[in-house]
Amino acid sequence: MPYTVIWYDRKGIVEKVIFDAEKTAKDHAIAMFQTRKGDDGVICVEVRKDSGSVVFSHAEN
């Protein structure tokens, strides 16, 4: 089942990245958040199942 990491800035979706495993997607979101925040102005990241339900989210102002 694919899992999608969705990066958001203040205007909306910045990028979507698809992973095969939930753990890999969550690890990627956690590891890259501070870098994406500084480089791209990201304020929130979500990991969603193929069905659309959120399995992980993180946000900072």
Side-chain angles (χ1 to χ4, degrees):
M1 172 185 297
Y3 291 85
T4 306
V5 176
I6 306 172
W7 299 96
Y8 297 92
D9 66 7
R10 295 200 183 277
K11 295 180 182 178
I13 295 173
V14 174
E15 182 180 17
K16 294 181 180 180
V17 184
I18 297 172
F19 292 87
D20 292 329
E22 180 179 354
K23 181 173 179 4
T24 307
K26 287 171 66 175
D27 289 349
H28 173 76
I30 292 166
M32 293 301 297
F33 188 84
Q34 290 302 322
T35 300
R36 296 292 306 254
K37 181 180 176 185
D39 293 349
D40 302 326
V42 165
I43 60 168
C44 178
V45 64
E46 291 179 338
V47 176
R48 293 182 177 251
K49 288 184 184 181
D50 196 31
S51 66
S53 60
V54 177
V55 295
F56 173 80
S57 68
H58 178 75
E60 288 185 10
N61 291 339

